[in-house]
Amino acid sequence: MSGGQVWPQLGNSGYEVVDQQLAVRFNQRLTAYTATTTLTARATSTLSRFDLDLLGPKVTDVRVNGVRTAWKTTVDGELVITPARPVRNRFVVRVDVLNDLPDAVEGGRPPFGLLRHDGWVQTINQPAGARRILAVSDHPAQKAPATISITAPTALNSIANGKLLRTLKGTTYTTRVFREQRKLATELLQIGVGPFTVLHRKGPHALDLRYAVPTAQLADIEPQLKSFDTSVRFLERRLGRFPGTEAGSFVTPLGGELETQGLTLMTASAMTKDGFEQNGTDAVVLHEVAHEWFGNSVSPKRWSDLWLNEGHASFYEDVYAEGRYGAEQEAVMRDAYEKLGDKLLANGPIAAPDPKTFTGDRADYRPYTDAAYAGGALTLYALQQKVGASTFNAIERAWVHRYDNSVASTADFIRTASDVAGTDLGPFLRSWLYAEHLPPMPGHPDWKPLTS
Ligand SMILES: [Zn+2]
């Protein structure tokens, strides 16, 4: 499936990924690694050639159905594979790579992929970093269940999305194998190594909660971890059951809040008692946990559908903050509408970001903009104003239920909303999602958007 116009390089056509096995082996100093990708895929037609996404690592071997095969890489991140014999139906492609892992903070390194600093490794892929680690089909529309194997120095711990299946402990290296049974988009992959301790707790209906926390800061951080349990319960009241087999967090010194599936990346300094209070970290945790429904379980079909992730996570963050901090959602929405207004649309309409407007370093962050976050939240608020709170809530529940563990588009959201409301909401929602100027806010004729 094509990445669409926002990221034409990402994702691949001609096949569907059925299962992904990702194995990463680090050296003792974590300065280099080798990695093996084994994808089981289903060809949608007979393929004499197909692509994976890979940008940077050196390829050492490519095999299709066990047979060594011809390949080449391109500068824009395609690994072009020409199997000895055309593939049809189900096939297995295996790619071995090796790569250096320079310090992530010392500069000159893109802030995506595996990031090493000070004896830790963490992963920030969103949106296009997985291809910088190993060969993948790097698009959420091609997500599939994953087995993730990490071999790291025995003196350190390691963690990934999914449940720990087994540990093979050696004197110098230890391998841990994790399995995520639900589909995992490569942008949500987490591979972590460091001096941390893993805590296990039980959430609502005995949901597994798992926290990987710096061992040196365990006592400082542990009390704040219950915000994950609180967030799950808060969101389950509105959306129904948590859409995964576990929730929790990988807390690291470098951090960078990111909704890596079932294992949200969080910054250690923001999770200490002082950091937590100063940063309002509980609302950030709520936002990231909301992504387990919006983005992780229901993944965007195209990157231009990003507002479905960030608009929803921002919307529920505002709802939560209203209960917690008294900042009324209505006031927050009015502020965004009147102070940001059409400035929100500087990179294009909410559901149609224009890649040409993402210049320089920002190109790697497309389509992450205020339009996706605040614009998406405003659209949802407008919908709630139009159909009423109870119908809006029914739409939300239908959405996360209908597309659970799946992929969906803006058109799918419009269809779901219209089905549930029993009226065609297409013209109304499109007037927000594809507008060049913010439309009037239902129920608030006195609100005046800043115009461009
Ligand atoms: Zn977010």
Side-chain angles (χ1 to χ4, degrees):
M1 202 161 307
S2 151
Q5 59 169 354
V6 177
W7 275 106
Q9 303 91 329
L10 302 181
N12 300 286
S13 57
Y15 63 90
E16 292 163 9
V17 180
V18 176
D19 188 76
Q20 31 188 0
Q21 291 186 38
L22 312 172
V24 181
R25 297 166 291 268
F26 294 93
N27 67 353
Q28 278 294 323
R29 290 166 52 233
L30 307 176
T31 53
Y33 67 89
T34 61
T36 303
T37 301
T38 310
L39 296 184
T40 303
R42 193 183 298 114
T44 51
S45 60
T46 301
L47 301 173
S48 56
R49 213 193 72 178
F50 62 93
D51 294 355
L52 291 175
D53 301 309
L54 183 71
L55 185 64
K58 185 177 179 322
V59 178
T60 55
D61 193 41
V62 179
R63 286 168 193 255
V64 175
N65 294 331
V67 179
R68 185 167 291 164
T69 188
W71 54 269
K72 67 174 172 113
T73 52
T74 70
V75 286
D76 64 347
E78 299 298 334
L79 171 61
V80 182
I81 297 170
T82 309
R85 266 181 296 175
V87 292
R88 58 174 63 86
N89 305 326
R90 214 172 161 91
F91 65 98
V92 177
V93 54
R94 175 187 154 137
V95 180
D96 290 302
V97 301
L98 57 84
N99 202 11
D100 289 333
L101 196 52
D103 190 286
V105 176
E106 281 163 15
R109 215 189 122 69
F112 298 101
L114 285 177
L115 306 181
R116 173 179 69 82
H117 184 61
D118 209 13
W120 290 74
V121 173
Q122 64 175 51
T123 308
I124 293 187
N125 285 343
Q126 197 174 71
R131 62 189 180 145
R132 295 179 185 273
I133 305 173
L134 74 181
V136 283
S137 198
D138 201 2
H139 194 283
Q142 288 192 312
K143 66 180 182 173
T147 302
I148 303 159
S149 160
I150 305 173
T151 301
T154 293
L156 299 172
N157 209 339
S158 57
I159 197 149
N161 321 78
K163 291 200 185 298
L164 178 62
L165 288 187
R166 56 185 178 273
T167 303
L168 306 163
K169 198 158 194 164
T171 43
T172 50
Y173 287 98
T174 292
T175 298
R176 289 183 184 81
V177 181
F178 300 85
R179 176 68 181 171
E180 173 55 287
Q181 289 286 2
R182 290 174 63 87
K183 294 174 184 173
L184 174 70
T186 48
E187 55 130 349
L188 302 169
L189 174 67
Q190 183 57 259
I191 290 171
V193 178
F196 58 80
T197 298
V198 178
L199 305 173
H200 291 274
R201 300 286 182 267
K202 287 292 179 198
H205 50 84
L207 177 69
D208 284 336
L209 302 173
R210 179 181 58 156
Y211 306 104
V213 184
T215 304
Q217 290 174 281
L218 208 51
D220 291 341
I221 289 172
E222 205 267 340
Q224 287 72 248
L225 296 173
K226 66 175 180 297
S227 59
F228 281 86
D229 184 282
T230 306
S231 293
V232 169
R233 288 172 196 272
F234 180 90
L235 290 162
E236 283 197 339
R237 283 198 292 278
R238 285 157 183 81
L239 300 167
R241 200 153 170 129
F242 183 83
T245 54
E246 71 242 298
S249 182
F250 179 35
V251 183
T252 75
L254 195 56
E257 285 63 32
L258 186 66
E259 67 270 26
T260 47
Q261 189 160 313
L263 190 66
T264 301
L265 181 67
M266 293 294 296
T267 312
S269 59
M271 288 301 291
T272 61
K273 186 170 188 296
D274 286 351
F276 202 80
E277 283 164 9
Q278 281 164 24
N279 295 296
T281 305
D282 59 338
V284 179
V285 168
L286 189 289
H287 175 110
E288 304 307 337
V289 173
H291 277 307
E292 299 280 8
W293 280 265
F294 303 104
N296 300 10
S297 174
V298 185
S299 295
K301 199 168 203 168
R302 286 173 285 273
W303 274 112
S304 52
D305 298 320
L306 178 68
W307 75 275
L308 289 165
N309 298 12
E310 298 303 345
H312 276 110
S314 302
F315 181 89
Y316 288 100
E317 185 182 340
D318 294 338
V319 173
Y320 171 81
E322 178 165 285
R324 183 81 173 77
Y325 298 107
E328 286 197 12
Q329 187 183 24
E330 183 179 316
V332 174
M333 290 292 105
R334 181 172 193 160
D335 229 42
Y337 188 80
E338 297 199 323
K339 292 197 178 143
L340 293 172
D342 286 351
K343 274 199 255 176
L344 283 172
L345 309 176
N347 293 99
I350 292 166
D354 177 0
K356 289 192 297 295
T357 64
F358 293 78
T359 52
D361 289 347
R362 294 253 300 120
D364 277 339
Y365 292 92
R366 65 190 190 273
Y368 284 80
T369 63
D370 286 345
Y373 289 78
L378 276 171
T379 302
L380 293 168
Y381 184 77
L383 175 62
Q384 183 185 255
Q385 290 296 112
K386 181 161 179 77
V387 300
S390 128
T391 300
F392 176 77
N393 201 247
I395 290 169
E396 294 287 271
R397 282 177 174 259
W399 174 247
V400 296
H401 182 70
R402 190 179 282 190
Y403 296 102
D404 176 62
N405 198 27
S406 187
V407 169
S409 67
T410 296
D412 293 325
F413 184 81
I414 292 171
R415 193 174 314 115
T416 302
S418 300
D419 288 352
V420 173
T423 177
D424 182 9
L425 289 166
F428 172 75
L429 282 167
R430 282 192 290 272
S431 79
W432 278 84
L433 294 167
Y434 297 100
E436 286 171 19
H437 301 283
L438 289 184
M441 179 60 79
H444 295 290
D446 53 323
W447 292 13
K448 300 283 174 250
L450 188 75
T451 51
S452 53

